[in-house]
């Protein structure tokens, strides 16, 4: 049998271009991780080792391996994806590809370079730093980049993840490598270039239109099989040299629809397209998507309608799962995405400074019911608009859209992240706005036209944030239309109440920082470094002024914590309070506001950031609190502008009426609970109502408002509200006790009891794992049963630490 495909992913030889270093590298993989595993560099995530590895990105590197071809005759091509980034590929010292776009698929013909028997493939990686500088010098005018985000300059010249050059949450090492497929293929008759689907819903039936694009060197006849969940059709198709597109339509009389998480089932179909030499499988979900931007009295709406029903989007922003590719895995990513769903999220935004993720990533989102807001990969810089750059972008967009558009989870394609705002950030664009605005518009229009050519029915949004199509206004503070990024609370150090000064139609970015959890800090910091102002801790804070802002906020709301561990804990508590303040209010505005996506879900390395999940996937305080404030039926206490009244808001994101019983009480500072009132409130589907309004005068300075609720659909929960600041409360010792017992399969049951008032009770383990509940409140005499499930089996028993607000601030 003649070989038709040779998978070249394996262990390759890695060497510096000058031969000074030689080791092995796993492909797919990145150079930095290979060097660390070989002991050539230290772990860049530990201490301040990042500074010691900067030379790696400045050097040129090569990877190579041998392979055997018995019969090299015929037409052969390489198939390469995620080649990062400026690289030349050689086979037997013959150059077969010059690549400079990490986001494109390359399929060069290599027939003339092959020989019978032993062959050598070598990839020569040029320094991204040198390439960026050289390309900047060739621009007709200077193209600014954001030095605060990108301490490694000129990353905007290259089509690779922009956060590789640093970000205000990322390490700056400009990694390089090959992260996708690399294989050698014989082209007999034809190969599959694209499989793109679209849908038509008519009279309760669905037509699934499949467009198959084949590539051939010579004309011929190819048998094509289309299979949708066992419905198999064969077509014998005549094809021309070059590309030929073949269409087929499946009619589905009784479609099983795909719904976002919490709104219905994630029904999926399996589509397989097969020719003798190639096969592609797609995961198909039948659904309709609309972006509603109708004018109204406030400006214009911004809401997603799925299968005819408007869905409030609850979620967060996604950044790459790791700063270094080799440290990622589908299993780690699945854990992160599952955590999003477990916190009642139904949408993530794949932010524009990272990757177009792998196919399996979107397969996971399909299965989990996570809608995806997909940015094109441009963020926070200005970019070239020369013809060669725009042609390359058009190729990138065409490939990525055709690859991904069939996923039911992807509901929006957005042109970029904050490029309109970036026009106001640089001296050059401020002084010559017209030049840079025209340049931006050329790029943005190129992306839009390429999207529409590849997928005419895809939903396009020009930028995030944006007030509308061809609207270049201030979408950070103007809240009448479009999507909004609201950063005044963090970047301008405004109070949490300031979140209630805006009424976004859809807030796609807002956030507040905290420190990563103490067990994570201990992976990069020695005991002597456990001080927020230590050089190591400051090195793991990439946002200028971030530590000062965290501390200043503590002075505003809390008594200062007694040590580093409690400083970390309290930073997470105030982060959760900030985001809860925003989400509670904006959800109460429904349907004026129809989406809140906080910044950010995950971390790329262990760092102080805006994430709700630690590096490694552990849940911070925010994530446990998000599970409550994102619950489809939720209750929140919202003060009036003047603070005289407290509105108890009830939100219902489900499709049925719910009646909710809300029990309100006050809890004194010694933990005594006094019933205040009980109300039954009805909320219609997809709505928000005020259940009851209380006078702030009913709350004494030494009492806190508590509530619990139960809904007729089985949902329930509770919370508390402090009218004022936590630092004004003279809290008493909570008398916390923890009792442990085995729960089976390595899990541990914990019973947490309080003899006084305990706020924000947080249990932490020295080993990774998940708690069934955490960051909860207890009044005197109350208890909470929770279960800790370790991430991995361990012979050693975990050591638990318990935090609460009183103990955090008291030296007792």
């Amino acid at each position: 049998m003649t070989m038709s495909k040779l998978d070249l992913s394996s262990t390759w030889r890695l060497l510096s271009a000058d031969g000074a270093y030689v080791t092995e590298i796993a492909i797919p993989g990145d150079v930095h991780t290979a060097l660390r595993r070989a002991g050539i560099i230290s772990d860049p995530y530990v201490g301040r080792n990042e500074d010691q590895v900067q030379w790696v990105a400045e050097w040129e590197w090569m990877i190579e391996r041998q392979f055997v071809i018995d019969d090299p005759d015929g037409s052969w091509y390489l198939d390469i994806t995620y080649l990062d980034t400026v690289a030349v590929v050689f086979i037997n010292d013959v150059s077969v590809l010059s690549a400079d776009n990490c986001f494109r698929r390359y399929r060069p013909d290599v027939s003339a370079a092959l020989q019978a028997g032993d062959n050598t493939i070598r990839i020569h990686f040029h320094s991204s730093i040198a390439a960026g500088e050289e390309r900047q010098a060739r621009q007709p005018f200077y193209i600014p980049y954001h030095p605060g985000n990108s301490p490694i300059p000129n990353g905007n010249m290259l089509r690779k993840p922009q956060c590789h050059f640093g970000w205000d949450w990322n390490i700056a090492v400009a990694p390089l490598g090959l992260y996708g497929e690399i294989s050698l293929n014989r082209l007999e008759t034809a190969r599959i270039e694209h499989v793109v689907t679209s849908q038509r819903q008519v009279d309760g039936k669905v037509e699934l239109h499949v467009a198959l694009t084949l590539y051939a060197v010579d004309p011929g006849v190819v048998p094509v099989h289309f299979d949708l969940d066992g419905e198999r059709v064969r077509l014998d198709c005549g094809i021309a040299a070059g590309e030929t597109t073949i269409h087929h339509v499946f009619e589905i009389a009784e479609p099983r629809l795909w719904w976002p998480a919490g709104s219905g089932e994630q029904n999926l179909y399996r589509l397989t397209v097969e020719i003798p030499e190639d096969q592609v499988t797609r995961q198909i979900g039948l659904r309709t998507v609309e972006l509603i931007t109708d004018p109204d009295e406030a400006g214009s709406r911004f809401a997603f309608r799925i299968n005819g029903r408007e869905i409030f989007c609850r979620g967060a922003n996604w950044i790459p799962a790791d700063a270094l590719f080799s440290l990622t895995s589908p299993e780690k990513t699945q854990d992160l995405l599952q955590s999003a769903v477990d916190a009642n999220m139904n949408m993530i935004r794949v932010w524009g400074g990272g990757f177009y993720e792998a196919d399996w990533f979107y397969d996971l989102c399909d299965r989990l019911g996570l809608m995806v807001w997909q940015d094109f990969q441009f963020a926070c810089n200005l970019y070239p608009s020369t013809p060669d750059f725009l042609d390359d972008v058009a190729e990138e967009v065409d490939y990525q859209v055709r690859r991904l558009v069939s996923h039911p989870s992807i509901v929006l394609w957005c042109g970029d992240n904050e490029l309109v705002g970036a026009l106001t950030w640089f001296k050059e664009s401020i002084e010559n706005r017209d030049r840079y605005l025209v340049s931006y518009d050329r790029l943005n229009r190129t992306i839009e036209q390429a999207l529409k050519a590849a997928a005419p029915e895809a939903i396009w949004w020009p930028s995030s944030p944006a007030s509308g199509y061809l609207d270049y206004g201030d979408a950070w503070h103007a809240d009448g239309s479009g999507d909004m990024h609201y950063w005044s609370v963090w970047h301008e150090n405004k109070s949490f109440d300031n979140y209630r000064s805006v009424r976004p139609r859809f807030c796609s970015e807002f956030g507040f920082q905290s420190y990563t959890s103490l067990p994570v800090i201990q992976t990069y910091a020695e005991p002597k470094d456990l001080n927020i102002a230590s050089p190591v801790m400051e090195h793991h804070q990439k946002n200028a002024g971030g530590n000062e802002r965290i501390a200043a906020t503590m002075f505003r709301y809390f008594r200062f914590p007694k040590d580093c561990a409690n400083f970390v804990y309290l930073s997470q508590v105030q982060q959760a309070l900030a985001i809860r303040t925003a989400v509670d209010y904006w959800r109460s505005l429904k349907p004026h506001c129809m989406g809140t996506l906080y910044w950010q879900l995950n971390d790329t390395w262990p760092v102080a950031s805006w994430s709700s999940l630690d590096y490694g996937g552990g849940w911070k305080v925010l994530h446990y609190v998000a599970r409550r404030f994102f619950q489809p039926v939720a209750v929140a206490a919202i003060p009036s502008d003047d603070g005289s009244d407290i509105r108890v808001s009830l939100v219902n994101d489900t499709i049925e009426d719910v009646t909710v019983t809300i029990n309100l009480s006050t809890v004194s500072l010694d933990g005594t609970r006094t019933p205040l009132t009980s109300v039954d409130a009805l909320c219609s589907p997809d709505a928000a109502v005020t259940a009851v309004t209380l006078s702030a005068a009913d709350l004494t300075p030494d009492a806190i408002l508590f509530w619990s609720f139960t809904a007729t659909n089985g949902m329930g929960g509770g919370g508390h509200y402090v009218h004022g600041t936590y630092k004004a409360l003279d809290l008493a010792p909570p008398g916390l006790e923890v009792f442990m017992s085995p729960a089976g399969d390595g899990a541990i049951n914990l019973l947490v009891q309080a003899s006084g008032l305990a706020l924000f009770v947080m249990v932490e383990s020295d080993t990774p794992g998940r708690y069934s509940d955490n960051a909860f409140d207890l009044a005197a005499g109350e208890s909470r049963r929770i279960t800790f499930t370790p991430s991995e089996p361990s012979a050693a028993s975990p050591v638990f630490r318990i935090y609460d607000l009183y103990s955090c601030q008291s030296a007792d």
Side-chain angles (χ1 to χ4, degrees), residues 471-488:
D471 187 328
Y472 301 108
D474 178 9
W476 273 263
H477 303 95
D479 56 3
S481 304
D483 76 308
M484 187 179 196
H485 291 188
Y486 193 66
W487 281 105
S488 293

Side-chain angles (χ1 to χ4, degrees), residues 586-756:
W586 294 339
R587 285 190 75 189
S588 79
L589 302 178
K590 183 180 181 176
H592 174 91
C593 176
M594 286 300 291
T596 59
L597 309 179
Y598 65 73
W599 185 270
Q600 67 215 60
L601 179 68
N602 57 303
D603 274 335
T604 58
W605 73 305
V607 66
S609 81
W610 299 264
S611 72
S612 62
L613 296 175
D614 282 321
Y615 178 70
W619 289 27
K620 293 182 179 180
V621 172
L622 171 56
H623 210 79
Y624 287 104
V625 174
R627 183 167 60 184
R628 298 175 197 134
F629 64 59
F630 274 153
Q631 190 171 218
V633 175
V635 171
I638 301 169
S640 59
D641 291 343
D642 62 5
S644 61
D645 294 325
I646 301 165
R647 177 168 61 92
V648 179
S649 170
L650 168 61
V651 180
N652 176 20
D653 286 350
T654 74
I655 60 173
E656 296 180 347
D657 288 345
V658 293
T659 299
V660 179
T661 300
I662 306 173
N663 295 306
L664 296 148
S665 61
T666 58
V667 176
S668 63
L669 300 185
D670 65 3
T672 302
R673 186 184 292 273
T674 303
L676 188 62
T677 187
S678 180
V679 296
D680 290 329
L682 172 68
C683 192
S684 57
D686 285 322
V689 298
T690 297
V692 65
T693 300
L694 305 175
S695 172
D698 294 338
L699 296 178
T700 61
D702 59 351
I704 300 173
L705 176 66
F706 271 68
W707 68 87
S708 63
F709 72 93
T710 56
T712 49
N713 65 359
M715 295 182 188
H720 78 260
Y721 168 78
V722 171
H723 195 63
T725 63
Y726 287 88
K727 68 181 180 181
L729 303 176
D730 286 323
L731 297 171
L736 286 171
E737 293 185 281
V738 181
F739 303 91
M740 295 182 290
S741 61
D745 295 327
I748 298 173
N749 286 326
L750 302 170
L751 176 65
V752 185
Q753 294 181 338
S755 59

Side-chain angles (χ1 to χ4, degrees), residues 50-373:
E50 174 188 3
D51 295 338
Q52 310 306 316
V53 303
Q54 294 301 304
W55 62 273
V56 175
E58 297 169 358
W59 286 31
E60 298 194 355
W61 297 88
M62 293 183 291
I63 63 172
E64 63 181 22
R65 62 156 289 178
Q66 281 69 48
F67 62 92
V68 176
I69 294 290
D70 294 330
D71 179 10
D73 292 339
S75 179
W76 291 83
Y77 66 95
L78 281 176
D79 202 346
I80 305 178
T81 57
Y82 291 107
L83 180 58
D84 185 13
T85 287
V86 181
V88 181
V89 182
F90 299 87
I91 293 181
N92 300 323
D93 294 324
V94 176
S95 174
V96 296
L97 172 66
S98 292
D100 64 354
N101 189 326
C102 184
F103 305 128
R104 286 180 59 181
R105 182 182 202 174
Y106 293 104
R107 286 182 152 183
D109 187 300
V110 299
S111 307
L114 295 175
Q115 60 190 28
D118 293 336
N119 292 259
T120 299
I121 181 170
R122 183 176 75 255
I123 302 178
H124 188 138
F125 292 97
H126 294 276
S127 166
S128 294
I129 298 174
E133 181 179 12
E134 185 271 331
R135 292 176 184 217
Q136 181 71 266
R138 284 197 275 117
Q139 294 301 311
F141 51 87
Y142 179 70
I143 309 295
Y145 65 93
H146 194 302
N149 284 334
S150 303
I152 297 177
N154 299 315
N156 56 335
M157 296 294 102
L158 300 177
R159 296 306 302 136
K160 74 177 263 123
Q162 297 296 277
C163 66
H164 279 181
F165 301 93
W167 220 260
D168 54 6
W169 39 260
N170 199 31
I171 194 169
V173 295
L176 62 158
L178 198 163
Y179 315 140
E181 176 182 3
I182 179 164
S183 62
L184 181 65
N185 305 266
R186 186 199 296 268
L187 182 61
E188 298 286 358
T189 306
R191 70 182 183 220
I192 296 175
E193 290 291 280
H194 307 289
V195 175
V196 179
T197 66
S198 60
Q199 302 174 25
R200 308 281 190 279
Q201 294 200 12
V202 182
D203 298 329
K205 300 179 181 180
V206 173
E207 294 178 351
L208 181 68
H209 292 248
V210 184
L212 164 66
T213 301
L214 300 177
Y215 173 83
V217 175
D218 301 306
V221 176
V222 177
V224 180
H225 288 91
F226 295 92
D227 186 298
L228 183 68
D229 271 10
E231 180 184 340
R232 189 171 176 86
V233 176
R234 170 174 172 151
L235 302 176
D236 291 319
C237 303
I239 59 173
E243 290 191 354
T244 301
T245 300
I246 299 160
H247 297 273
H248 181 70
V249 179
F250 288 98
E251 294 186 359
I252 305 165
E254 297 180 356
R256 307 184 309 275
L257 298 183
W258 181 93
W259 287 93
S263 296
E265 298 296 320
Q266 288 75 59
N267 294 303
L268 295 166
Y269 294 74
R270 181 182 177 89
L271 171 68
T272 301
V273 180
E274 183 180 354
I275 61 175
E277 300 166 54
D278 207 353
Q279 176 179 303
V280 169
T281 298
R282 292 277 186 264
Q283 193 169 257
I284 304 297
L286 305 178
R287 53 91 177 113
T288 60
V289 179
E290 302 167 81
L291 177 61
I292 309 303
T293 56
D294 299 339
D296 63 9
E297 66 282 356
S300 60
R301 303 197 65 218
F302 193 102
F304 288 93
R305 184 181 291 158
I306 311 296
N307 299 327
R309 178 190 161 199
E310 289 189 16
I311 304 289
F312 191 98
C313 299
R314 309 180 302 264
N317 284 257
W318 171 268
I319 60 176
D322 205 289
L324 296 173
F325 170 83
S326 296
L327 303 183
T328 65
S329 70
E331 293 75 23
K332 291 178 181 178
T333 297
Q334 181 170 359
D335 181 67
L336 297 172
L337 295 176
Q338 184 64 57
S339 288
V341 174
D342 291 346
N344 291 305
M345 297 185 191
N346 60 15
M347 176 179 273
I348 58 169
R349 172 176 172 239
V350 177
W351 168 77
F355 283 99
Y356 307 94
E357 296 287 348
D359 293 271
W360 56 259
F361 175 94
Y362 301 95
D363 286 340
L364 283 170
C365 292
D366 296 340
R367 295 196 293 270
L368 292 170
L370 279 171
M371 293 180 285
V372 174
W373 170 313

Side-chain angles (χ1 to χ4, degrees), residues 774-795:
N774 223 334
F776 50 82
D777 305 319
L778 295 173
E782 295 180 347
S783 62
R784 185 72 57 96
R785 291 185 181 274
I786 62 176
T787 300
F788 172 73
T789 304
S791 298
E792 296 180 357
S794 174

